[in-house]
């Protein structure tokens, strides 16, 4: 599955609403893979999380390949100064006891970059005060099952965190209880707690926000079984209330399953 390097690429669609959207030719970014979205810093730079897995993930016959990349096997960031047209490596951190990284990064109000990364028994964090060139030693963000958690800054300036478990101080024993939390003070405290999906085998959340401030969280369920892709649609007030109170909010909306596409099914 993993040759020790991977390769990261992008394609761009300049008119996504066209009847027949056209895409550019693929453009090479560099080694690794990106599971989470880039974001734009206050200074205009684009920051892209890029993961390069540890050697113990490398499959035969590539076990001894790409030794020159061993110094950057971890959670990295790439930067773009031209709105994504070109990218360059900036820096990263190799987390101890990490698992696939799957890291997301936000910029704090003082310009510090804050990284959240997956670990075996907890979610790790690290901070950079030089734009991602160097990163401080890892610490624990919160206890967490061995699965991806993600955070992102919203249009309001608040931070949105999606993790497993309704209790920030404890880890669940399985990939269940996908829950949304908010922070209005740059991550010092987290409030709310909107349970998006209580079931087992829900994982890999990702965050998007529409121009009207609606929040969308996409995730999968039972990848080895029903192979469902679902989304939750809600607003910040729903997270704070811990239940759906906004108009048009919905949970467990099915996008796709092993049976095919679904257009509009939802389950509050």
């Amino acid at each position: 599955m993993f040759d020790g390097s991977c390769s990261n690429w992008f394609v761009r669609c300049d008119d996504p609403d066209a009847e027949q959207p056209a895409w550019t030719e693929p453009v090479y970014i560099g080694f690794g893979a990106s599971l989470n979205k880039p974001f734009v810093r206050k200074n205009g730079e684009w920051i892209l999380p890029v993961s390069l897995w540890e050697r113990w993930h490398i499959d035969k016959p590539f076990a001894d390949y790409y030794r020159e990349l061993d110094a950057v096997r971890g959670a990295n960031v790439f930067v773009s100064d031209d709105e994504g047209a070109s990218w360059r490596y900036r820096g990263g951190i190799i987390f101890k006891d990490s698992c696939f990284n799957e890291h997301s990064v936000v910029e704090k109000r003082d310009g510090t970059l804050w990284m959240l990364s997956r670990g075996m028994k907890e979610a790790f964090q690290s901070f950079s005060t030089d734009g991602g060139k160097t990163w401080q030693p890892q610490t624990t963000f919160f206890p967490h099952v061995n699965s991806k958690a993600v955070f992102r800054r919203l249009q309001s300036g608040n931070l949105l965190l999606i993790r497993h478990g309704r209790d920030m101080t404890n880890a669940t024993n399985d990939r269940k209880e996908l829950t949304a939390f908010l922070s209005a003070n740059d991550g010092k405290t987290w409030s709310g707690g909107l349970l998006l999906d209580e079931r087992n085998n829900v994982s890999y959340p990702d965050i998007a926000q529409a121009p009207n401030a609606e929040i969308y969280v996409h995730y999968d369920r039972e990848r080895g079984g029903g192979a469902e892709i679902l989304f939750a649609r809600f607003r910040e007030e729903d997270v704070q209330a811990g239940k759906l109170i906004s108009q048009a909010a919905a949970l467990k909306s099915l996008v796709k399953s092993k049976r095919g596409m679904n257009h509009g099914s939802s389950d509050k």
Side-chain angles (χ1 to χ4, degrees):
M1 184 177 72
F2 179 44
D3 68 354
S5 172
C6 288
S7 59
N8 216 10
W9 302 71
F10 74 84
V11 294
R12 191 185 71 250
C13 180
D14 293 321
D15 187 6
D17 293 323
E19 185 173 339
Q20 294 183 327
W23 294 86
T24 64
E25 290 297 314
V27 178
Y28 180 69
I29 295 175
F31 63 76
S34 292
L35 190 66
N36 290 313
K37 295 181 178 69
F39 73 94
V40 183
R41 297 188 67 196
K42 289 180 288 187
N43 66 5
E45 289 181 339
W46 289 23
I47 297 292
L48 175 68
V50 177
S51 176
L52 186 65
W53 300 341
E54 300 89 343
R55 295 208 67 85
W56 60 271
H57 290 294
I58 303 175
D59 294 332
K60 295 179 180 180
F62 307 105
D64 292 319
Y65 285 32
Y66 300 109
R67 290 285 179 181
E68 70 276 12
L69 295 177
D70 285 355
V72 292
R73 292 197 179 280
N76 301 291
V77 294
F78 279 53
V79 63
S80 174
D81 297 317
D82 52 15
E83 297 186 339
S86 62
W87 296 89
R88 66 184 184 278
Y89 174 80
R90 173 156 284 178
I93 177 173
I94 301 175
F95 288 102
K96 182 182 179 181
D97 296 326
S98 68
C99 190
F100 297 110
N101 303 304
E102 298 169 359
H103 55 300
S104 49
V105 182
V106 298
E107 183 178 24
K108 301 192 74 174
R109 294 191 176 107
D110 65 1
T112 298
L113 297 186
W114 184 9
M115 182 187 291
L116 161 64
S117 189
R118 172 182 169 183
M120 296 291 191
K121 297 180 180 179
E122 57 195 317
F124 299 124
Q125 64 181 355
S126 181
F127 299 89
S128 174
T129 57
D130 57 9
K133 295 177 184 177
T134 60
W135 293 84
Q136 298 173 9
Q138 72 184 69
T139 55
T140 298
F141 193 161
F142 46 75
H144 198 255
V145 66
N146 186 357
S147 190
K148 177 188 170 185
V150 64
F151 64 172
R152 192 168 181 84
R153 192 171 295 279
L154 301 175
Q155 297 166 12
S156 66
N158 293 335
L159 295 175
L160 177 68
L161 168 69
I162 311 296
R163 55 154 284 163
H164 293 279
R166 289 174 279 185
D167 182 355
M168 287 283 292
T169 63
N170 287 298
T172 59
N173 59 4
D174 202 349
R175 292 180 172 183
K176 61 183 180 182
E177 295 181 7
L178 209 58
T179 307
F181 295 89
L182 278 175
S183 176
N185 55 13
D186 229 20
K188 294 179 182 178
T189 59
W190 297 89
S191 60
L194 176 63
L195 183 61
L196 306 181
D197 199 322
E198 78 286 352
R199 297 172 293 180
N200 286 339
N201 297 317
V202 291
S203 56
Y204 287 86
D206 194 18
I207 300 168
Q209 190 170 28
N212 67 357
E214 279 189 329
I215 299 164
Y216 291 80
V217 173
H218 295 77
Y219 60 97
D220 67 41
R221 177 174 178 264
E222 294 184 348
R223 69 185 62 182
E228 294 177 344
I229 304 296
L230 303 107
F231 74 91
R233 180 178 61 200
F234 54 92
R235 292 182 176 271
E236 289 191 45
E237 54 261 39
D238 300 307
V239 181
Q240 290 287 21
K243 60 182 180 180
L244 299 187
I245 60 174
S246 67
Q247 187 177 9
L251 304 179
K252 302 177 187 175
S253 299
L254 184 64
V255 178
K256 184 180 185 296
S257 71
K258 186 179 289 186
R259 296 180 296 275
M261 300 296 294
N262 184 287
H263 300 282
S265 173
S266 65
D267 174 13
K268 289 194 176 185

